[in-house]
Amino acid sequence: PDTSREFRYYVGVHHKTGNYWMKHLSEEIGRRLGLSLIDLPRPPSTRAARASDPRTVEPGLLGSTVDRIRAHRRVAVLDEHSLYAEVVNEIPGMRGVHIIRDPRDVLLSATFYHLRSDERWLHRPMPQFGGMTYQEKLRTLGTIREAVGFELRHQTRRVISEKAAFPRLARVPTINYESLMAGDVLAAFQAMFS
């Protein structure tokens, strides 16, 4: 690859839309193309601020993130919550992709994932659940319908809001996760990276 050319690529994903898959793919592509990888964290903000505007990223944090990206001539940027889309507008020539998934699949996938995952936050006692952890509370529900409703109210609604709030950006087309999993997979990836 021509490592003398500047190359900055944004990958926006959401919870249960291939975020781990895209991270590993971005790492491998980056290794082969001589790109650094920047994995953007969820911005520190209050739940209330995110509920009112799921794209809430404080201007100072956005500016420092843009500076961090500009410090690399060749970089892949993984935005696991698709909250930093504005960096694309701030950096001329930056391109990328935004990956979404059918919200019904996100909801079902998240429900079953949260029932068995060992992620730390799922095992912290929470006052709103009478001191039970999120996973414990989810497991106490009698039916899958109740578990899915609980998941929607407490987690997946935010993910769906973040997906819906992602701005339309000419240099960042939106790709459906389902198109990457079925049909002509090579054509879907070619479209994503072209």
Side-chain angles (χ1 to χ4, degrees):
D2 180 4
T3 56
S4 65
R5 272 185 58 220
E6 283 190 5
F7 183 84
R8 295 181 180 104
Y9 194 77
Y10 170 91
V11 179
V13 293
H14 302 274
H15 184 58
K16 306 311 292 174
T17 61
N19 47 336
Y20 289 115
W21 182 34
M22 285 298 120
K23 180 175 184 167
H24 294 298
L25 184 62
S26 297
E27 287 171 346
E28 182 61 22
I29 290 170
R31 187 182 66 72
R32 291 179 185 219
L33 297 179
L35 305 175
S36 301
L37 178 67
I38 296 177
D39 191 351
L40 300 177
R42 173 175 285 289
S45 63
T46 65
R47 182 177 281 274
R50 286 197 312 266
S52 64
D53 183 358
R55 294 174 293 175
T56 302
V57 177
E58 297 166 9
L61 179 58
L62 182 60
S64 65
T65 301
V66 168
D67 291 344
R68 185 172 160 211
I69 295 166
R70 283 186 177 144
H72 297 270
R73 290 181 43 77
R74 298 180 55 76
V75 65
V77 177
L78 182 65
D79 184 357
E80 293 191 58
H81 302 281
S82 292
L83 295 172
Y84 293 86
E86 288 303 311
V87 300
V88 176
N89 290 332
E90 298 292 324
I91 301 175
M94 187 172 200
R95 295 185 175 280
V97 65
H98 174 230
I99 300 173
I100 63 170
R101 185 177 182 187
D102 184 316
R104 298 167 296 184
D105 290 337
V106 171
L107 178 58
L108 290 174
S109 180
T111 301
F112 288 109
Y113 176 77
H114 292 150
L115 280 166
R116 67 182 189 290
S117 173
D118 61 356
E119 284 188 30
R120 280 185 285 178
W121 75 271
L122 290 166
H123 301 279
R124 287 189 199 117
M126 297 182 170
Q128 68 265 40
F129 306 136
M132 291 178 16
T133 69
Y134 187 92
Q135 190 173 84
E136 288 170 340
K137 180 64 176 173
L138 190 58
R139 287 179 173 177
T140 66
L141 302 171
T143 66
I144 192 61
R145 182 185 197 112
E146 291 172 321
V148 166
F150 176 85
E151 175 66 28
L152 179 61
R153 286 188 305 280
H154 294 281
Q155 289 296 318
T156 304
R157 176 176 283 143
R158 175 183 43 80
V159 174
I160 293 168
S161 296
E162 290 170 356
K163 180 181 81 159
F166 193 86
R168 291 189 187 273
L169 301 169
R171 293 181 282 147
V172 182
T174 295
I175 306 281
N176 289 324
Y177 174 87
E178 292 82 3
S179 73
L180 299 175
M181 302 302 288
D184 191 344
V185 176
L186 289 178
F189 273 96
Q190 182 179 3
M192 184 168 82
F193 288 114
S194 65

